[in-house]
Amino acid sequence: MPDSTVTTVPAGWAFAAAAILGLLVAFAAVLDGLFSARTAGAGPSGMTRPLGETARLVRQRRRTTVAADTLLWRIGSSGLLFMALMIVTVVPLGQWTLFDLDVGVVWFNAMDVLAWAFVWLTGWGANSTHSLIGGYRFLAHGLAYELPLMFALVAPAVAASSLNVGAVAAAQADLWFVVWMPAAFLVYCTGVVAIAVWGPFTPALGSDIAGGVTTELSGVDRLVFQGGRYALLAAGAAFAVPMFLGGGNGPLLPGWAWVLVKTGALLAVFVRLRRRLPALRPDLFMEVGWVVLLPAVLVQDLLVAVVAVWRT
């Protein structure tokens, strides 16, 4: 089993981790604005769109609905941002990490499952029909992506013989796991895009149901929810680096710089997918998830297990 070489830093560095996550969110929002503007033929002016949208939502008054469960509504709309912050606490930035958990891989799984509750609560708490339909659409997607996502993370853990994220990254000093675990990597990326309610997984926010779970969100609540989606994309991209992309391994640059470069590159791909892939109907994606993704990732896990046994 490879040794984890990461060093746990004092808890005060959590503010630095939150700041880095904030910069990645800003990067994703600007990139998304730029892609949107190019699609509409508006040129580079779209780079300032996130700033204008943020200022508009900060000034906007919160909408209230009849008999809304305000507490659960607020918990749901802010939950995605909380999830992202918790995920990055176990991601090593080069040789440093906030929490060097022996079960860091399981920690990610525990956090991503929370998306089920937070997105559904956002739809349910508003006491609005369209919002509730959006929440149930997300749950339908979740039934299809969650199990393949969990098994996708089994492959790197088996190869490294550890559930420690730092140990998994250290096991890729010679060869990145993405090279011989492509199915697990693709399924993992699909899961990250899904928990962020992004790209093909936006029927929960569909225009046919007036915006779905975001129908009644306005002002700061809407800003926090949208920021949480970008933050989940960023946290998912960051977690993929130690799991599949060699962690901080790379020439010339220090380990922390390689982690940021790889995270930014994968995040840009996630953002680009938003308008490149069609929306997936929950019932159709459920068939894809159970008939294609789950068997593919199970075969990947079996091959990795055989190689791991052969090596020992």
Side-chain angles (χ1 to χ4, degrees), residues 63 65 119-120 122-138 202-217:
R63 183 179 302 168
T65 57
V119 175
W120 186 81
T122 306
W124 184 80
N127 192 32
S128 165
T129 302
H130 288 143
S131 297
L132 188 58
I133 293 173
Y136 278 116
R137 282 186 178 181
F138 180 80
T202 51
L205 316 177
S207 57
D208 59 322
I209 49 175
V213 295
T214 60
T215 301
E216 307 296 346
L217 284 179

Side-chain angles (χ1 to χ4, degrees), residues 125-256:
N127 192 32
S128 165
T129 302
H130 288 143
S131 297
L132 188 58
I133 293 173
Y136 278 116
R137 282 186 178 181
F138 180 80
L139 292 185
H141 272 143
L143 290 173
Y145 78 74
E146 188 60 46
L147 204 54
L149 173 60
M150 294 173 67
F151 280 108
L153 292 175
V154 169
V158 169
S161 299
S162 176
L163 291 170
N164 179 279
V165 180
V168 174
Q172 302 171 69
D174 298 324
L175 183 64
W176 295 5
F177 284 166
V178 67
V179 175
W180 59 295
M181 303 179 192
F185 177 68
L186 290 176
V187 170
Y188 170 81
C189 290
T190 301
V192 169
V193 173
I195 63 175
V197 205
W198 194 260
F201 302 97
T202 51
L205 316 177
S207 57
D208 59 322
I209 49 175
V213 295
T214 60
T215 301
E216 307 296 346
L217 284 179
S218 62
V220 175
D221 294 330
R222 191 181 187 90
L223 178 63
V224 171
F225 183 83
Q226 300 290 13
R229 294 173 64 208
Y230 287 118
L232 275 181
L233 285 179
F239 194 75
V241 173
M243 296 302 292
F244 294 100
L245 301 177
N249 294 309
L252 302 177
L253 298 176
W256 62 266

